[in-house]
Structures are given as structure tokens and as C-alpha cells.
Amino acid sequence: MTTEDFYWALIDLANGLMTGATLGGYYALISVGLALTFGVMKLVNLSHGDWLIVAAYLAVVILGLYPVSPFWVLLPLVPMMFVIGYVLQRGLLNRVSTFAVERRGLSPIMAMMLPLLITFGISTVLSQALQLVFSTNAQTIRNDYSFSAIALSQDLSISTLRLGFLVLAAVLIGALALFIQRTHIGRAIRATSDDAEIAALMGMRTAHVYGVASGLSLMFAAFAGFMIGMSRSFQPFDGPPYLLTAFGVVVIGGLGSLGGCFLGGIVLGITQVLAGTYFGPAAQQLAGYLLILLVLAARPQGLFKR
Amino acid sequence: MDLSNLSAIGAPPVTTNASKSAPWRIGALVLLAALVIVPLVVGTDSYIVHLLMTAFIFATLGHAWNLMAGYGGMLSVGQQVFIGIAGFSEAILIYYAAAPLVAVWIFAGLVPLAFAALLVAPMGIRWPLRRSWALVVFFCLVAGYEIAVTVKPELDIFGDNFTRRAFLLLFLFLGGLPLLRLRGAHFAIATWLIAESVATIFSGWPLAGAGGGMQVNADVDLLTLYYLALGLVAVVTLGIFLWMRSTFGLALMAVRDDEDAAASSGIDVMRIKMSIFLISAFVTGLAAGLYFMDAMIITPASGFSISWSSYVVFVVVAGGMGTVSGPLIGAIVFVVVDRILGQMSGQGQLVLGLMSIALMLLLPQGLAGLFGRSMRRRTHLIPFLRSPSISGEGQ
Amino acid sequence: MAGTISMKRILASTCLLSALSAGHALAAECSISIGRVVPITGPLADVTKDTPWVDENKIKPINDAGGLKVGDELCKINYKIYDSKSTVAGSADAATQAILQDKVDFLIAQGTPDTTNAPSDLCERNKIPCVVTGVPIEAWLLGPDGKPKEYKYTFAFYFSVGDLVKNHLGMIKALPGGFNGKIGYLYPNDADGTVFAKIFDPVFKQEGWTPVDPGRFQQGLPDFSSLINQFKRNHVEVVTGVLAPPDMQNYLQQAAQAGFKPKMYIIDKGTGYPEPMAALGEAGYGLLSVNFWSPAYPGNSTYGGYDGQTLVDRYEEATGKPYVPPLGYDDASYDVLLSAIQRAGTKDRDAVLAALKTTKLDTVDGPIAFNSQNYSVQPLAGAQWRFDEATGKIVKETVFNEVYPSVKKTGEMKLYE
């Protein structure tokens, strides 16, 4: 092994770990919303990926109307998505919640199926509607950061945006955890997720709590969609692959666990990049799938859930 | 309770009310006879024949999924893996071996069946020790094959190194995955991931046309496909109807409603899950085989598309989950919405999406729930248990 | 959006039209029905954005003049658009519906192998004359083992991958300042990627160049940094590949972040349309690709008499959008079919089939003549994306025309910056 080979072997390893970790922040942000709805409402939201894309398109539209620095777009975007999430839950999804389904005398299996089907329908409608409005053109949020990187050495650099999003993911997930622990509505969310029936008996307005949880979920989708738009181009039909990634992260971290999302994202990111480095790029996604299946097989409760 | 000798198709139904089911039998026979003569009335190359054939195929796919989800409680969103494998084995057999139609069609069922057997294999072997032995043996076989290929490259039937290794390692991995032990959302995600992983390999496999896919140039006409599809859906419908009335069917539903309770009352849960998983794969493969003979082309993107699962779920839920007539009704609704309304509005997918939202809100029990009293008698086979939580996901 | 609404309206009216005509199939009146399978919804819809403008532009003047003169009769032409939903399954449904339900006389299918190949096979089974375009000849012709399929009823015209190889090879050889022979691959494992890798790899090796091939990857690859490191380590100067727009952007960003700057990028697919290029911004300036149709192409339309530039001007004026390259092919596919019907003097399928075989036609894509394998190879040229400071827009300039000198050059090739 020559010195140059050794040098590159080190660079590969360092790059794999670093890029993988920052990719993990990106994955974490994509999946928090899904983990939240699952944790609180046992709702498997199949339209989650499409909401990310909706948020990205909304960001582009807002920036088209008011050409300011891209980060300002979060100011209207995040509350907007919260409202959409709240209204969606109260108006539509609450009608097929575990509660509602049981009230209507349907079997528990149906309680599982109805939200799946309805969110699948929403997913189709969203992507088709986006295509009708925006056509299939690839869009992106133009910014000065997407091409910049922090160079650590001549051959080792770290993407500014992705590093930023890793930090953002950590901060947001921390904030969400605090919110759930410290605030009144946060405690209500926790109580409802532990046992919705008892929470309802204790006078909590389950419909409202679910609405807030859904709103928070889409709020995170707004951050994630903004992030996708900043760092990639997107098209109306890009949602489902993000959904699959989000599922993977949630499984690795443990269904419904927020901190698990963060760590799960990082584990998935590092696995993918390292597999890509050593077994060729075709192995990148395959290694990700196998990791998730492995976790499902060996630790269905997730790697980071006690 | 020993189920093995009772579970055969055609076992005497345990709950038959002869006087009430007679009109149904006559009705079904009349319907079948009518469907047999439809092509003679409307013409053999009529679009109606094609639509009906499509409906039969989707009804069969629906039955297969309904068997797992509606009766077995195993929510799969990975049926496309059987569909894609069926289509590709058909394409490969026709293209490289010019095999006769019947052989091709049977293989379209057998190959997914073999794949399903691989997925449930660890469950069949009770002792963990023997299971790891099987894995070791398989691993040694793979390693031996790998060495053989380096010596004699023509032994490599996969055509290139990456595909071969990826396939064999994936099989090894899937062989060790205790799929049927997963429940609820875990099972659903696992099935989706399995389908995605297989699709990933197929899209890089040059022998199967890589991403460009293959022609399925079967020498068959629409009329033959129509009767094959009609026969298939009739046999499957009858089979499920009888099967669900046997002791096996009752045991199956006990498993669906509460796995742990079923196990403690002496039901061999794994054997039951295994049998419906295998049958579902076989039936799905046969139906997909007919579909691809008609469509004439398969690509990894089309064969392993997640939209297969969404269509099948739509078919079953629109019709009525856990009912024999559900998939039949749902398939007709699907064909009308997707093929006719869709083409008229120019936005077929949008209509389908809106329809499934509306149906879930208004008719969660499906259209079968709308029918008369005798239909309800059938649906009551599924006791609507009100258990406090969804069976065990999130465990 | 106005465009979409008017499109839907026209779609609806044509549906109605053909439904009516199917209902009153009066024997005395001659009419020809043409089914056109194109992706209207789904991810490929960009490819046929010119639908249904191009149909109206071609057919309306003919019908207004009383119809197409076939033998001694004037025949009205009814076209109907079938949505392939951008999937293989959808294109098979669409073709089946056209053939079995509407009993169309002829079929045209356009836009990527996913839209053209199923209708081709179904036309063969149902013995319907069919014209396809928008699919590279090899992707339509060759089976998985490289053997050509036998088409009797289907005819294709488009560029061929063989010409693409010549074009790219010529561009690399013309690299200003010389080339060190290190060439990096960016081929995904989809249909295009695998075919291109299979065809390009031996050619590059034959030139004595050293390929740096990280291997096929799946579309939507999350991370390109390990590939880029491989390129850097091997001092790659030319990078070539087939990337979809999101992958292209992801790759170019990560390359810029890693400070990797080759002298030349030749990237196909993602570089085909103006919108994804505009989304790329500065990173897209200087990318090389292929020009498979532009107004600079030689030839005039037989039905309508216009040249490529006039067609583009009319399109841009009517729709207010920049033209898309398939426009030329969509226009020419009608020419091919109409000319064959006229030369046959009847709409009898066998006669039209015989006429299609002897096609020798001038179109906006250059001359079309089918060979014994039922295809015709159309010209292509090397193109480069530039930022036009005068208009503030990006433009695709033809910078290399050695393969087909009849396509005019509009600029000189420059290094990637």
C-alpha cells in the first residue's frame, strides 16, 4: 500500500462518516413529522412525502412573489403548514382515527387500514394537483449556499447547507421534545399518545390534540420541504421515495420516538455512504434497505428505544 | 387442534345454511354462465372483453391480498414483489427459452411461490439451531458457486458479478428474516422494503433488460386470456369461499383478531400465516402472469411499482375487506374508475385518489356492505372486535 | 393555468368528436382515425408539452380544407389523444383502448421507451400500422441480449445511440487544450444508463482512454461524494453520463462543494429541457449534451410547408412558452403517416403498411426513409448550454456538427467553468 493509497483510504473513511452524518440530519428532518403522527395517533401517514414536496413548492411560490433571502420564507411557510396540518386532521383524518373507527363499530384492522387508504388517496391527489398547477418542471429554491462547502483539507469538505441542516435538525427535535415535556398542550399530546381513551376521559379534547400533533408534523414537513428545495431540485412526483426513507429512519430509531429519528437518520446516512464508498454506488440504497430490514428482524422496537 | 387435514380446499363447510345459500349458488352459476358467453355476444376483440378480463385479474389480485389482510390481518404493501417476479420470470422464459404458454403461466405462479417460501422459510423450521444450519449451508453453497464462477465464467446464469452477488446475498438475508413474526405497520414496511430491494437489483440486471425491461411476447389472443382470467377468478373465489367456511378459515380469523389468544387456544399461528402467505403469492403470480401476457411488456419500474399495492388495496377496500364478494365488486369499480372515468376526465389518477378518500369516509365497509341482508350474513363472519389497541404494532 | 385548461378543453372536444364519429360510422363519408399515445399526466408529461397544439396545428388546416385527399376521396382526420400516465402499464392501457375500443386506423406513440414500446408490441399483435418517435432507435429495437426485435407494423424514427457515440467522441477529441485520457462515468442503472454504459465503454477504451467507472447507481442516489473522490483521485478531466434533473443537480452541487472541476461535462437527459437547466443556475453553464432537435435542423414539413424555425415561432407565439425539442418529431410523425395514407390511396392497412415501407419524405427533422428494420435515423448535433447576457436567459447552442454537417452550428465549444 503506497502512501497515496493510504491517504485516500483515510479520506474515504472520513468522508463517509462525515457526509453520512450530515446526510443523517437531512433524513432526520424528513422523518420527524412521520414519527410524530405515528407516535401520537398511530397514524401511518402515507402522504407524508408529498407534503414535503408541497411545502417546497409553496416556498418557491412565496419566494416568487416576494424575492427575499430564502431563509425568510420559513416565517410564513411554517405557520402555514401548521394550519394546513391542523385543518387536515380536524376536517378529514379525525374521521378515520382509531377512535372514530371504533365508534363506528369497525374492526381494529379497519382502524389500521382506513387512515392508510385515505392518506394514500391524499398522496395521489396532492402529486396530481401539483402537476396540474406547476407542470412537471424541476424546481429548486435558488440560494447561494447550495454550492458552498467548508473545506477541511484539500480533499475533504463538508457541505455548508447539510451541516446547517444537521444542526437545525438537532435544535428542532430538541425544541419539540421540550415543547412536549413542558407545555400544557405538549403534556396533553403525551397523555393522548399513551392512552387516548383515558386522556379523553380526563377531559382532554382529543380532536384538538390530534389536530395540533398533525399541525406540528406538517410544520416539520415545512422545514424538511424547505431543506429539500434548498439542496436539490424537486418535481411533483418526488414524494414517495422520501416517504420510504422516512419510514426507514423511523423504524431504525423506533416507531414514534423523536430522539430515535435523529440517531436513526445518522445511522442510515453513514451506512449508505460507507456502503457506497466500499461496494460501489449501486449498493448505497440497497444497504439502506437491508439495514432497515435487519433492524425490523432483530430489534423491531428500534435501535434506540428502551 | 390439528388443522392440516381440514384445511384443504373443499373441506366440508362447518356453517352452511342450505336453504339460504341456494339462491346464491344459482345466482353465481348464472353469472358465470353469462360471463362465459359475453365474448360471443359483444365480439371477441371488443374492449368490453378486455375490461372484463382486467377486472378478473384485479379481482384475483384483490382476493390474494384480501386473504392476507382481510382474513389474516397481515397488511402487505409489497404485493408488487410477487407481481414483478411473476412478470419477469414469464418474460425470461419466453425470451430465452421460448417456452409454451401453459408452462410459462404456471411458472409465473411458481416462481413467486418459491420466493414467498424463501421469505417464510425460517418459520417452517422450529428449532433455531436448524435454522442457522440452513443459513450456513446456503452460505456455503453461495460461496462455492462464487468460486465456481471465477473458474468457469459460463456457469454464471445471472450474467454479471454485481447482480449475482446482490441476488444471492439478498436471498440469504431474506431467508433469515423472520417476516411473519412482524406485525402491523412493521410487517407493512418490511414488505415494501423487500419489494424495493428486489426491484433495485432487477433494474441493474442486464439479462432482464436492466431498467429497460423486457418484452412479454406470448403467443396468445385476447379470448384465451379472457377465459384463463375468468377461470382463475372463479376457482379462487370458490376456493376462498369454501376455505373460509372450513375450520381453517375460523382459525385464521381467530389469528387475525388476536394472535396471542389464538396461539394460547392451541392454534398453530405460524402454520396458518405461512399457508395464506404462500397461497397469496401463488395466486398473485398467476394473475400477474395473465396481466403481463396482455400488456406485452414489463420494466422494473412498472412491475415492482408501489402503485400495484395501492390499486389492489383500492379494489379490496372499495369492495369490502374480509368478504368474498368484496374484491369482485371492487375490481369492477376500479376498472370503471381507472379505465373509463380516468380516460374521460384525462385525470385518472386524480379521480382514483379522490374516490378512495370519499369511499373511506362514506363507506368504510366497502360497497359489499351496501348489499342486502344475505350479504351481511356473510360479512358477520368477521367479528368486529373492539380491542383497546391495534394488534401489537408499536410493540 | 390557462394552458392546461385549454388543453383539457381540446382533449374533451376531441373525445366527443371521435365518440360521435364512432357512433355514426356512415359508410359514404370517409374518415381516418388516428390514436396518439403520449404522456399527459405523470413525470414524463414534460416530454409532450406541445400536445395538443401540435395536433391542431397539423390537422385543423387539413380538415378545414375538406380533408386529406386519399385516392379520389376527401377524408376527414380524427385524432384522439390517449394518456400513457408516464408508465409502461399506462401506455399499454392507452394503446389497448385505442385499438380495441375506438378501433383506430393508425396509432402514433411518442416520448421515451416507457411510452413507445408497449404500443409498438400491441400494434404488432393487433396488426395496426404504428409510427413511434421520441425513443432512441436502440432502446426500441434491441432486446435485453442485444438482438434486434422484428417489427412488421411499427416504424420508428429518432436519433440513434450509435450517432450519439460518434458525436460525444468527436466532442471529447475536440476538447480545447487536449485531454489526459481519464474519463469518469455517471451512468445510473435505469434503461438509459445501462444501455449507454454498455455502448460507450468499449468505444472509450478503444480510443486508449482510461475510464473511471464507479458503477451503476440507482436514481435518486443520496450521496455522490464517494464518486467525486474517485474522480478526483484519478485526475478525471471529462465526465460523461445520463442523469435525471434531480440527480444532475445533486451531483453538480456536491462536485462544486468538493472543489472538483473537470474540463468537460457531457450529460444527457437532464440537459434536454430548459426548465431544469434554469433551476441549476450557474452550475449548468457550459454543460455539453446532445441536440436532438432544434429549429436549426434542415428540412421543411410536407404538410404545412413550414421549416423548423417557423414551427417554433408559431408554437412560442401561440403558447407563450419556449419550444421543447420533441416538437419537431411530433410534427413529423403526422407527416410520415399522412404521406403513407396518401400514397397508398386508401386507408386499407396493408396498403398503408406497404407505403410506409417506401417512405421518402422531407420533414422538419430532415429526410425520413425507413430501412428494412423499419427505422430511420435522424440527425443530431452536439450542444452546449450558455447564459445569454443579452436576454438574461439560458440558451442551448449547437457547437458541434461533425456527425451531421447539415445541422448548422450556432457557437463554439468552450471549457466548463
Side-chain angles (χ1 to χ4, degrees):
Chain A
M1 196 192 242
T2 65
T3 339
E4 204 191 334
D5 285 342
F6 184 67
Y7 168 76
W8 279 107
L10 274 183
I11 291 282
D12 273 346
L13 185 64
N15 176 65
L17 291 173
M18 243 172 44
T19 319
T22 49
L23 190 62
Y26 178 84
Y27 285 165
L29 218 42
I30 287 174
S31 43
V32 180
L34 193 73
L36 192 67
T37 42
F38 191 86
V40 177
M41 297 172 270
K42 304 281 174 287
L43 171 74
V44 180
N45 185 357
L46 291 183
S47 62
H48 183 72
D50 300 274
W51 285 112
L52 306 177
I53 305 297
V54 168
Y57 270 103
L58 277 178
V60 167
V61 169
I62 296 171
L63 284 172
L65 294 175
Y66 307 98
V68 286
S69 167
F71 284 101
W72 290 107
V73 82
L74 287 172
L75 231 47
L77 183 67
V78 170
M80 229 154 110
M81 291 297 282
F82 180 88
V83 172
I84 294 178
Y86 187 85
V87 171
L88 179 79
Q89 184 70 37
R90 297 286 312 246
L92 194 62
L93 294 180
N94 270 349
R95 288 162 201 262
V96 289
S97 68
T98 322
F99 253 160
V101 171
E102 279 183 23
R103 225 178 8 248
R104 287 160 84 168
L106 301 172
S107 70
I109 277 287
M110 287 306 274
M112 179 95 210
M113 299 300 306
L114 284 185
L116 271 183
L117 283 161
I118 224 164
T119 52
F120 195 87
I122 294 173
S123 155
T124 315
V125 171
L126 284 181
S127 56
Q128 295 293 332
L130 282 177
Q131 192 214 330
L132 273 180
V133 180
F134 297 100
S135 85
T136 55
N137 292 333
Q139 304 262 9
T140 188
I141 301 174
R142 290 281 197 86
N143 63 89
D144 304 330
Y145 312 97
S146 60
F147 287 90
S148 69
I150 301 162
L152 299 179
S153 83
Q154 193 193 342
D155 296 304
L156 198 60
S157 59
I158 186 163
S159 154
T160 320
L161 263 188
R162 281 208 181 150
L163 186 65
F165 287 127
L166 177 70
V167 175
L168 182 70
V171 169
L172 285 177
I173 291 173
L176 181 64
L178 271 182
F179 174 82
I180 286 182
Q181 269 170 16
R182 298 285 162 82
T183 62
H184 180 70
I185 181 79
R187 278 190 291 268
I189 288 178
R190 220 156 23 122
T192 314
S193 78
D194 285 344
D195 196 321
E197 269 175 66
I198 292 178
L201 286 177
M202 288 170 70
M204 285 180 193
R205 288 148 59 213
T206 329
H208 174 67
V209 171
Y210 278 10
V212 171
S214 214
L216 285 173
S217 161
L218 283 205
M219 212 173 96
F220 273 87
F223 282 110
F226 172 73
M227 175 185 73
I228 289 168
M230 289 283 279
S231 51
R232 308 196 55 154
S233 61
F234 51 89
Q235 285 164 298
F237 299 93
D238 285 353
Y242 289 112
L243 173 70
L244 189 60
T245 307
F247 264 140
V249 171
V250 169
V251 164
I252 295 173
L255 284 183
S257 146
L258 295 179
C261 255
F262 188 70
L263 296 173
I266 289 177
V267 169
L268 182 64
I270 291 180
T271 310
Q272 284 189 340
V273 179
L274 284 182
T277 309
Y278 296 114
F279 304 108
Q284 238 179 61
Q285 273 134 313
L286 194 60
Y289 299 147
L290 291 188
L291 172 73
I292 302 163
L293 281 171
L294 195 68
V295 173
L296 275 177
R299 269 185 78 84
Q301 72 274 39
L303 287 185
F304 307 106
K305 214 175 181 184
R306 275 171 299 256
Chain B
M1 147 164 52
D2 182 19
L3 289 162
S4 57
N5 50 1
L6 283 169
S7 61
I9 290 179
V14 271
T15 52
T16 309
N17 195 332
S19 63
K20 272 193 180 172
S21 61
W24 273 99
R25 281 186 195 165
I26 294 165
L29 279 176
V30 169
L31 181 68
L32 192 64
L35 288 174
V36 167
I37 57 166
V38 160
L40 309 176
V41 178
V42 297
T44 51
D45 64 341
S46 161
Y47 191 54
I48 294 172
V49 174
H50 189 269
L51 286 181
L52 280 173
M53 180 201 70
T54 312
F56 299 155
I57 290 174
F58 276 92
T60 313
L61 292 174
H63 273 317
W65 186 81
N66 192 23
L67 204 53
M68 278 173 60
Y71 292 111
M74 290 189 279
L75 174 57
S76 158
V77 286
Q79 293 298 85
Q80 63 270 27
V81 76
F82 303 127
I83 292 173
I85 287 179
F88 269 108
S89 26
E90 206 168 68
I92 289 170
L93 270 179
I94 293 174
Y95 193 85
Y96 290 105
L101 178 69
V102 179
V104 166
W105 189 41
I106 290 173
F107 264 92
L110 288 181
V111 181
L113 177 67
F115 183 72
L118 176 80
L119 290 178
V120 297
M123 299 293 90
I125 303 158
R126 303 291 161 83
W127 302 282
L129 188 66
R130 196 181 288 177
R131 188 200 310 166
S132 26
W133 267 111
L135 284 179
V136 169
V137 168
F138 189 59
F139 187 77
C140 289
L141 282 177
V142 169
Y145 184 56
E146 197 67 27
I147 294 166
V149 166
T150 44
V151 181
K152 265 188 138 168
E154 64 268 24
L155 282 177
D156 181 11
I157 52 164
F158 294 94
D160 73 308
N161 285 339
F162 181 79
T163 310
R164 183 184 64 245
R165 288 173 193 154
F167 255 132
L168 294 177
L169 287 180
L170 181 71
F171 287 170
L172 186 65
F173 182 86
L174 292 181
L177 180 78
L179 180 67
L180 293 187
R181 291 220 187 277
L182 301 176
R183 294 184 196 178
H186 284 103
F187 182 82
I189 295 170
T191 50
W192 190 6
L193 285 167
I194 290 168
E196 284 295 318
S197 339
V198 175
T200 308
I201 302 177
F202 264 97
S203 36
W205 191 13
L207 267 189
M214 294 181 80
Q215 213 178 357
V216 189
N217 200 357
D219 183 21
V220 63
D221 57 7
L222 180 58
L223 202 61
T224 316
L225 287 176
Y226 176 86
Y227 284 119
L228 285 179
L230 177 60
L232 182 66
V233 74
V235 168
V236 171
T237 309
L238 183 69
I240 291 180
F241 179 77
L242 296 175
W243 207 24
M244 287 312 127
R245 290 170 167 237
S246 69
T247 328
F248 182 90
L250 297 178
L252 178 58
M253 278 170 246
V255 171
R256 180 196 62 191
D257 292 329
D258 192 335
E259 230 181 279
D260 302 324
S264 59
S265 64
I267 295 176
D268 188 342
V269 172
M270 278 309 146
R271 174 177 285 181
I272 286 195
K273 283 188 159 190
M274 221 165 89
S275 0
I276 57 166
F277 192 81
L278 291 176
I279 296 229
S280 174
F282 183 63
V283 169
T284 302
L286 286 180
L290 294 179
Y291 175 86
F292 286 111
M293 280 190 217
D294 171 61
M296 293 193 78
I297 189 168
I298 179 168
T299 62
S302 72
F304 295 100
S305 164
I306 180 73
S307 47
W308 280 110
S309 276
S310 64
Y311 292 159
V312 169
V313 172
F314 179 86
V315 161
V316 175
V317 179
M321 215 166 71
T323 64
V324 178
S325 56
L328 301 173
I329 299 169
I332 289 167
V333 176
F334 171 77
V335 165
V336 169
V337 171
D338 187 62
R339 303 289 150 93
I340 298 173
L341 289 182
Q343 193 70 37
M344 273 164 72
S345 67
Q347 289 293 339
Q349 303 287 56
L350 194 61
V351 174
L352 208 60
L354 289 173
M355 275 281 288
S356 56
I357 297 177
L359 267 174
M360 287 314 94
L361 286 179
L362 304 174
L363 278 177
Q365 293 192 57
L367 291 166
L370 277 182
F371 281 65
R373 192 186 274 169
S374 44
M375 184 61 70
R376 221 169 284 147
R377 196 177 61 83
R378 189 150 315 152
T379 49
H380 91 256
L381 269 178
I382 315 119
F384 289 130
L385 281 190
R386 276 165 219 232
S387 74
S389 73
I390 314 163
S391 53
E393 92 288 340
Q395 45 165 322
Chain C
M1 270 165 103
T4 346
I5 292 165
S6 69
M7 188 187 79
K8 272 173 83 181
R9 198 173 292 157
I10 294 168
L11 261 175
S13 62
T14 47
C15 284
L16 205 69
L17 206 81
S18 53
L20 285 173
S21 65
H24 308 274
L26 297 173
E29 225 172 86
C30 165
S31 77
I32 297 167
S33 59
I34 299 174
R36 191 156 167 268
V37 179
V38 286
I40 299 288
T41 57
L44 296 177
D46 268 359
V47 178
T48 45
K49 262 191 200 155
D50 53 343
T51 307
W53 181 88
V54 71
D55 309 87
E56 281 291 287
N57 174 56
K58 185 62 84 182
I59 302 302
K60 201 165 169 289
I62 296 175
N63 280 349
D64 284 351
L68 185 75
K69 192 153 177 21
V70 180
D72 303 328
E73 288 179 294
L74 277 178
C75 294
K76 291 266 187 208
I77 297 168
N78 298 311
Y79 69 89
K80 185 173 172 185
I81 291 161
Y82 298 86
D83 181 13
S84 83
K85 297 175 192 158
S86 298
T87 61
V88 172
S91 67
D93 291 345
T96 304
Q97 191 156 25
I99 295 168
L100 295 183
Q101 184 185 39
D102 299 332
K103 313 265 186 228
V104 294
D105 298 315
F106 310 103
L107 206 66
I108 300 178
Q110 279 145 335
T112 79
D114 280 357
T115 325
T116 56
N117 289 2
S120 298
D121 292 339
L122 289 164
C123 282
E124 294 295 309
R125 177 180 280 172
N126 293 290
K127 302 188 170 56
I128 307 273
C130 178
V131 176
V132 304
T133 187
V135 50
I137 298 296
E138 284 81 355
W140 169 81
L141 183 70
L142 302 181
D145 52 355
K147 279 190 207 136
K149 297 175 204 160
E150 268 180 46
Y151 286 108
K152 280 192 188 135
Y153 296 87
T154 315
F155 293 80
F157 66 99
Y158 207 53
F159 71 79
S160 90
V161 182
D163 284 345
L164 196 72
V165 172
K166 283 186 214 154
N167 181 71
H168 288 6
L169 213 56
M171 287 204 293
I172 298 174
K173 283 180 179 165
L175 181 74
F179 172 43
N180 69 358
K182 301 285 173 57
I183 181 164
Y185 291 175
L186 284 177
Y187 294 120
N189 68 1
D190 60 2
D192 300 321
T194 35
V195 168
F196 277 39
K198 214 184 333 182
I199 296 176
F200 274 104
D201 187 54
V203 179
F204 290 147
K205 282 183 180 150
Q206 215 174 3
E207 289 293 322
W209 296 337
T210 326
V212 177
D213 184 6
R216 306 293 76 77
F217 53 87
Q218 206 181 351
Q219 271 196 32
L221 188 74
D223 176 64
F224 282 95
S225 65
S226 57
L227 282 79
I228 294 164
N229 274 346
Q230 221 172 322
F231 292 165
K232 268 172 97 173
R233 163 186 337 181
N234 291 295
H235 310 287
V236 164
E237 282 190 349
V238 172
V239 174
T240 177
V242 207
L243 296 176
D247 286 339
M248 184 167 74
Q249 187 179 23
N250 200 8
Y251 166 80
L252 287 174
Q253 280 178 2
Q254 296 189 12
Q257 286 161 6
F260 172 63
K261 223 169 246 175
K263 287 184 176 173
M264 183 186 239
Y265 274 118
I266 305 179
I267 294 179
D268 291 311
K269 195 160 161 180
T271 48
Y273 295 87
E275 288 86 359
M277 292 307 295
L280 267 183
E282 278 179 34
Y285 304 164
L287 291 187
L288 285 159
S289 74
V290 65
N291 201 351
F292 49 94
W293 191 76
S294 78
Y297 270 49
N300 285 301
S301 168
T302 309
Y303 295 87
Y306 41 78
D307 64 0
Q309 190 60 50
T310 318
L311 179 67
V312 166
D313 290 346
R314 279 194 206 170
Y315 176 77
E316 293 186 344
E317 197 194 319
T319 61
K321 287 182 206 150
Y323 81 95
V324 286
L327 180 64
Y329 289 94
D330 294 353
D331 183 81
S333 55
Y334 272 118
D335 285 357
V336 169
L337 194 58
L338 297 182
S339 138
I341 299 168
Q342 257 189 335
R343 280 180 292 117
T346 157
K347 65 173 190 174
D348 175 70
R349 283 174 187 170
D350 291 334
V352 173
L353 212 57
L356 272 169
K357 280 194 201 326
T358 58
T359 296
K360 233 187 171 83
L361 194 68
D362 193 25
T363 71
V364 289
D365 294 331
I368 293 177
F370 296 111
N371 64 6
S372 60
Q373 285 178 304
N374 282 13
Y375 66 83
S376 166
V377 176
Q378 302 310 119
L380 55 71
Q384 189 161 34
W385 287 96
R386 297 269 173 75
F387 182 70
D388 185 6
E389 284 177 9
T391 57
K393 281 180 182 162
I394 49 161
V395 287
K396 194 181 192 180
E397 301 216 55
T398 307
V399 295
F400 186 81
N401 66 349
E402 274 175 28
V403 187
Y404 288 94
S406 58
V407 182
K408 283 175 270 188
K409 256 171 55 159
T410 57
E412 290 301 318
M413 197 159 83
K414 290 178 190 155
L415 290 181
Y416 180 75
E417 282 158 29

